[in-house]
Amino acid sequence: AGGGTLLTAHIVPLAVGRGFALEPASLLLSAYAAAGLIGALLFGWLSDRFGARNTLVINAVGQIVLWGALMMIGVYGMMMTIAALIGLFTTSILAVHSAAINEIFGRENFSAVLGMSYLPKLVFISGSAPLAGFLFDYAGDYKIAPLVQIVGFAAALLGFLFLPAQSAALSRLAARPITAGTGGAA
């Protein structure tokens, strides 16, 4: 979720730092936003067809590849395409996140789990852009911030890959009735 705020805050200065004028650099942000309009619909459809956890895996892999490409490619047309694709992937996070909560925890727990999940999510949403600014000030360029983003996506990918088995174990545990006074399962 932090990738979107990082990109919206830093794509223009990143492009200007690579030698592009302000106007074309600003168009990268427009490409990101325009493609983002399609992202939630596309990834919602993918979630319905392939399951939310599988769609999260697809999204994480795509984000890793796209952020890696953004670090390496300095050709404007390709940067425009990458910015648009990142928009497509990033703006879909809320839809896929919501679908995954429903898939894992069920409709009866959806609201509570969605609410609880936003506290840690807000740390990344509100912290990624300032962290990228700090890393830019520290290193003098934008090489570290996208790398941190990629590491975050890789960690998320591992979580998504292991989530199905873990959620099944948690479901079995939650299904056990707790006997009052014994502290154990009946």
Side-chain angles (χ1 to χ4, degrees):
T5 54
L6 188 152
L7 191 117
T8 56
H10 294 282
I11 190 69
V12 174
L14 181 143
V16 168
R18 290 185 179 176
F20 298 108
L22 183 59
E23 292 80 12
S26 298
L27 286 175
L28 295 174
L29 184 56
S30 298
Y32 165 85
L37 296 172
I38 303 166
L41 296 172
L42 174 63
F43 278 89
W45 179 81
L46 288 171
S47 291
D48 289 342
R49 299 303 176 272
F50 303 110
R53 289 175 276 204
N54 293 330
T55 304
L56 284 168
V57 168
I58 292 166
N59 193 294
V61 169
Q63 296 260 19
I64 290 167
V65 169
L66 291 168
W67 282 88
L70 185 65
M71 287 177 61
M72 295 185 288
I73 294 173
V75 176
Y76 181 75
M78 293 187 77
M79 283 183 68
M80 177 76 76
T81 301
I82 293 166
L85 288 171
I86 289 174
L88 192 76
F89 279 72
T90 301
T91 59
S92 67
I93 295 296
L94 177 60
V96 182
H97 175 231
S98 298
I101 288 172
N102 186 58
E103 186 176 289
I104 296 164
F105 296 99
R107 187 175 63 158
E108 63 280 357
N109 297 313
F110 177 80
S111 297
V113 175
L114 182 66
M116 287 187 288
S117 72
Y118 262 84
L119 182 60
K121 193 173 177 178
L122 282 174
V123 171
F124 295 101
I125 291 171
S126 61
S128 63
L131 176 62
F134 169 78
L135 292 172
F136 176 84
D137 289 344
Y138 175 77
D141 60 31
Y142 279 110
K143 290 180 182 167
I144 298 174
L147 189 59
V148 170
Q149 220 28 65
I150 290 169
V151 169
F153 287 124
L157 174 62
L158 289 174
F160 302 149
L161 290 171
F162 291 113
L163 186 59
Q166 186 179 23
S167 67
L170 291 173
S171 296
R172 286 192 302 276
L173 183 62
R176 294 181 181 167
I178 303 296
T179 306
T182 63

